[in-house]
Amino acid sequence: MQDFPVWEPPMGGTEQQHLFGMLDRLRTTFRYKADGLDIGQLATKLPSSQLSLGGLLQHLALVEDEKFTYFIAGQRPEVLLELTADGREQFVVDLDEDPEVLYQRYDHAVAKSRKIQQSIIEEGTLDADSGLEFEGKHASIRRIICDLIEEYGRHAGHADLLREAVDGRVGEDAPWDYLPAWYRE
């Protein structure tokens, strides 16, 4: 078991370890599906959809920022504000964009989220109220984490189909030796 990748959920552990393990595996799987592409490939869409891997990189960077930075940590959501300030559509990628900017934005958002995630683990605050309020009730941090796991589950499936259409890459998870940037920082 000690040879498992750092992003693999534990075989046995606490609820908190499993939730964050599932989230990290989904983040890693998604990042692997989007990795190593040029802007044309990142902008590739299927005939039946407006989704692209580049659009998903932007969207998930925004979602990471919204969920962790804003709803959980109560801090200024930089990616959210950057991508929405000029009325930009978060799923749209222009062919003149630098792919490294898309990758770095996503990687930075995940790295920042993982720092906040670490404080949740250290403080044991899954049951604490988040900043998300609906009809006078605040969602717990656990609810926000579960929502993010659901979001990644949906988009990891989209990424499977998009990547296969781009260059034929298939597979359930990233290879065990794959290590996203946020683990190397």
Side-chain angles (χ1 to χ4, degrees), residues 9-185:
M11 293 297 286
T14 66
E15 174 196 20
Q16 184 170 263
Q17 290 170 324
H18 283 282
L19 285 174
F20 289 121
M22 288 170 27
L23 179 56
D24 280 341
R25 179 171 55 190
L26 284 165
R27 285 170 170 153
T28 301
T29 299
F30 170 76
R31 183 61 171 83
Y32 174 71
K33 295 294 181 175
D35 200 19
L37 300 175
D38 64 31
I39 196 63
Q41 293 169 312
L42 286 170
T44 299
K45 300 173 187 171
L46 300 175
S48 59
S49 175
Q50 291 301 304
L51 288 179
S52 68
L53 287 166
L56 289 174
L57 277 167
Q58 288 187 148
H59 169 68
L60 287 170
L62 183 148
V63 170
E64 287 275 357
D65 190 44
E66 175 190 54
K67 303 288 189 203
F68 273 94
T69 305
Y70 188 58
F71 288 154
I72 294 174
Q75 300 169 1
R76 182 180 168 84
E78 299 298 329
V79 175
L80 176 67
L81 294 173
E82 174 192 346
L83 290 177
T84 59
D86 59 2
R88 180 180 181 164
E89 170 57 47
Q90 63 182 297
F91 287 103
V92 174
V93 176
D94 295 322
L95 291 175
D96 61 349
E97 290 188 64
D98 180 350
E100 287 309 308
V101 170
L102 296 174
Y103 288 126
Q104 288 171 4
R105 181 185 295 126
Y106 175 76
D107 290 341
H108 177 73
V110 172
K112 186 175 179 182
S113 293
R114 291 188 82 251
K115 286 179 184 171
I116 297 166
Q117 175 178 309
Q118 187 59 40
S119 69
I120 295 166
I121 292 168
E122 290 169 3
E123 297 166 15
T125 55
L126 277 177
D127 291 321
D129 285 347
S130 74
L132 178 61
E133 182 265 332
F134 183 72
E135 295 183 354
K137 294 185 180 182
H138 285 265
S140 70
I141 291 174
R142 177 184 282 103
R143 167 64 192 263
I144 300 299
I145 301 305
C146 289
D147 286 353
L148 191 55
I149 290 168
E150 179 185 6
E151 185 86 9
Y152 267 102
R154 221 177 6 259
H155 293 316
H158 295 138
D160 280 339
L161 295 172
L162 288 163
R163 184 61 187 245
E164 185 174 6
V166 167
D167 67 2
R169 178 183 280 182
V170 296
E172 181 178 339
D173 290 324
W176 280 28
D177 62 348
Y178 182 76
L179 202 59
W182 56 84
Y183 284 111
R184 296 186 302 251
E185 293 181 355

